[in-house]
């Protein structure tokens, strides 16, 4: 049974949401209505820093202004459709967007780390064969405000409204296919008067879109890049990642090298281990050869079962042997721990369940 602790089925709001506006656009919005522009900063602080979810809570605003604002805007434009909490304090939110579409985001808490895992698209167009998010294709890109709002909603779940310490852009969607909106959201996430999260603590995970990886490298930001490799050669990768034939491992690795040269930040390679498919010791050796000489770190992710998909988890022996073979070749490797498994924390799974797909 899923431990459902809250479900709100409020009518989805038609009014524009505060975070749909940039700081500048919100200042103009106030000015156009004959109100001081500084109100924009005040209202944004309530939502971004103080966790307000209604204008009523913004007690230093005149009552009449609070009423006017409530008639014209909503502080948050998403609705919590489901809220699940696992025993390990992992929270998962299924958020309903203004057009009734659903997205997922997850809060993972470990010691003093509070990591948000966020989505960038409704669904995903990449179609990786083992992934729940891609099963129904991509419906649309999220707006910057919708990406930011996931962070605000997850931060609002943190005890004492403590700051999120990390962001992983590993929810639904391909982040680099919606890079502009993502960057917009991350600007606010990293701003001192935004969510105050260090850029070095933000990981963007991509299926490997070389042109976009290069663009990200050229921004001069300290974001961390993770590349979903999943196979050590093009033949196998093309069977697992349908976009592979267009790009190919060589050009993805070149773009990753470029990212390292430009930013000085080591690239992480993600490798979902699918039992009997890409988990042989030979695959590990081939992967080590591919990455040798690169400033690379490998994150091995044992497959999380997805209902309706035929893949299975690697055996513990295969997992251990895979890891050992990489280590033996001098490759830095870590196995991703499983968090929140009883609430289907792996991306895309809860949404599919609710949509009945
Ligand atoms: N589109 C981006 C973000 C995807 S989610 C990308 O491809 O990187 C982040 C990671 O979770 C990716 O490496 C993805 O391959 C992996 N993933 C997706 N479904 C999974 C599953 N069922 N089990 C384990 N890992 C999965």
């Amino acid at each position: 049974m899923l431990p459902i602790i809250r479900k709100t089925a409020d009518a989805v709001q038609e009014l524009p949401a505060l975070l749909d506006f940039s700081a500048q656009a919100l200042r103009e919005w106030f000015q156009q209505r004959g109100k001081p522009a500084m109100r924009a900063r005040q209202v944004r602080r309530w939502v971004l820093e103080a966790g307000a979810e209604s204008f009523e809570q913004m007690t230093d605003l005149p009552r009449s202004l609070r009423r006017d604002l409530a008639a014209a805007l909503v502080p948050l434009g998403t609705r919590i459709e489901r809220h699940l909490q696992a025993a390990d304090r992992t929270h998962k939110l299924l958020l309903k967007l203004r057009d009734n579409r659903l997205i997922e985001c997850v809060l993972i808490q470990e010691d003093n780390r509070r990591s948000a895992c966020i989505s960038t698209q409704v669904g995903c167009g990449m179609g990786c064969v083992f992934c729940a998010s891609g099963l129904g294709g991509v419906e649309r890109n999220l707006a910057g405000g919708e990406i930011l709002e996931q962070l605000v909603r997850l931060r609002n779940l943190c005890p004492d409204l403590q700051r999120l310490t990390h962001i992983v852009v590993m929810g639904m969607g391909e982040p680099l296919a919606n890079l502009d909106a993502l960057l917009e959201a991350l600007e606010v996430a990293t701003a001192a008067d935004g969510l105050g999260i260090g850029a070095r603590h933000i990981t963007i995970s991509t299926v490997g879109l070389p042109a976009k990886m290069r663009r990200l490298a050229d921004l001069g930001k300290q974001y961390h890049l993770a590349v979903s490799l999943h196979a050590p050669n093009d033949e196998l990768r093309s069977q697992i990642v349908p976009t592979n034939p267009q790009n190919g491992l060589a050009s993805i690795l070149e773009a990753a090298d470029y990212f390292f040269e430009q930013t000085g930040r080591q690239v992480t390679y993600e490798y979902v281990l699918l039992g009997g498919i890409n988990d042989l010791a030979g695959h590990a050796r081939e992967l080590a050869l591919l990455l040798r000489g690169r400033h690379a770190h490998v994150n091995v992710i044992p497959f999380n079962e997805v209902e309706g998909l035929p893949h299975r988890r690697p055996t513990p022996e295969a997992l251990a042997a895979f890891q050992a073979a990489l280590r033996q070749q001098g490759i830095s490797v870590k196995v991703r721990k499983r968090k929140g498994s009883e609430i289907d924390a792996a991306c895309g799974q809860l949404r599919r369940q609710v949509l009945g797909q």
Side-chain angles (χ1 to χ4, degrees):
M1 274 322 275
L2 293 172
I4 297 172
I5 62 173
R6 187 164 116 197
K7 181 181 187 306
T8 51
D10 308 2
V12 168
Q13 294 288 341
E14 298 296 329
L15 300 174
L18 206 68
L19 300 179
D20 292 342
F21 295 82
S22 65
Q24 176 59 25
L26 194 64
R27 272 196 293 276
E28 285 162 14
W29 189 92
F30 274 94
Q31 277 169 333
Q32 281 158 12
R33 282 154 186 81
K35 311 214 189 291
M38 59 78 121
R39 293 288 186 210
R41 187 161 160 264
Q42 216 175 347
V43 170
R44 271 172 75 87
R45 279 186 63 174
W46 271 108
V47 172
L48 290 171
E49 292 174 36
E53 296 190 359
S54 75
F55 289 112
E56 217 29 61
Q57 289 168 278
M58 303 182 186
T59 44
D60 57 356
L61 298 183
R63 237 172 239 289
S64 59
L65 178 59
R66 280 186 258 164
R67 255 199 320 272
D68 291 353
L69 286 173
L73 294 173
V74 282
L76 296 174
T78 59
R79 285 282 163 274
I80 298 176
E81 180 71 9
R82 295 277 168 94
H83 175 176
L84 311 181
Q85 186 175 4
D88 64 8
R89 296 189 297 149
T90 299
H91 290 258
K92 180 163 202 163
L93 295 178
L94 184 69
L95 298 179
K96 188 176 254 186
L97 306 174
R98 300 271 242 332
D99 57 4
N100 287 328
R101 291 188 158 97
L102 297 170
I103 54 164
E104 299 181 10
C105 55
V106 180
L107 172 68
I108 303 152
Q109 303 184 84
E110 286 170 292
D111 306 322
N112 285 327
R113 258 174 109 112
R114 291 173 296 282
S115 309
C117 177
I118 54 170
S119 298
T120 50
Q121 298 182 309
V122 182
C124 183
M126 301 298 117
C128 299
V129 295
F130 55 84
C131 177
S133 298
L135 288 170
V138 62
E139 292 180 28
R140 71 168 172 87
N141 280 340
L142 295 183
E146 292 170 326
I147 298 173
L148 183 57
E149 206 168 290
Q150 297 171 62
L151 295 169
V152 169
R153 287 223 175 259
L154 294 172
R155 189 280 318 275
N156 291 355
L157 297 175
C158 293
D160 304 322
L161 280 185
Q162 288 178 92
R163 282 186 180 184
L164 295 168
T165 59
H166 293 75
I167 301 175
V168 291
V169 190
M170 293 189 182
M172 287 170 33
E174 168 49 43
L176 297 193
N178 188 16
L179 187 53
D180 289 328
L182 175 63
L183 293 173
E184 227 177 80
L186 293 183
E187 275 302 306
V188 182
T190 51
D193 62 354
L195 296 173
I197 304 166
R200 297 179 71 82
H201 291 173
I202 297 177
T203 301
I204 301 174
S205 176
T206 178
V207 72
L209 305 179
K212 296 290 177 63
M213 290 162 67
R214 287 171 184 273
R215 200 187 134 203
L216 189 62
D218 288 334
L219 291 177
K221 300 279 181 192
Q222 284 292 294
Y223 303 137
H224 182 94
L225 181 67
V227 178
S228 292
L229 223 50
H230 312 323
N233 60 61
D234 278 319
E235 198 193 337
L236 183 57
R237 192 170 192 266
S238 296
Q239 290 169 28
I240 299 173
V241 181
T243 58
N244 191 60
Q246 286 122 268
N247 301 310
L249 276 174
S251 93
I252 293 171
L253 289 172
E254 264 172 43
D257 291 344
Y258 180 76
F259 183 90
F260 174 73
E261 284 157 25
Q262 295 301 108
T263 64
R265 301 228 55 198
Q266 190 185 51
V267 173
T268 294
Y269 292 94
E270 293 163 282
Y271 195 106
V272 172
L273 221 48
L274 304 165
I277 293 184
N278 63 357
D279 66 342
L280 305 180
H283 293 134
R285 283 193 295 275
E286 203 180 343
L287 181 63
L289 267 180
L290 196 67
L291 298 181
R292 208 153 57 191
R294 296 192 146 93
H295 295 268
H297 172 79
V298 175
N299 215 335
V300 172
I301 316 169
F303 171 65
N304 279 315
E305 285 94 345
V306 176
E307 218 183 296
L309 291 182
H311 309 288
R312 51 191 173 77
R313 290 172 74 76
T315 62
E317 295 76 31
L319 174 59
F322 195 89
Q323 201 183 352
L326 283 176
R327 276 222 176 100
Q328 208 171 34
Q329 304 290 322
I331 302 286
S332 145
V333 56
K334 227 185 195 158
V335 175
R336 176 147 344 136
K337 276 186 282 174
R338 210 174 183 198
K339 303 289 285 179
S341 53
E342 79 266 32
I343 56 168
D344 287 333
C347 57
Q349 298 198 37
L350 176 61
R351 172 173 169 265
R352 273 171 59 73
Q353 203 181 72
V354 170
L355 293 174
Q357 289 171 342

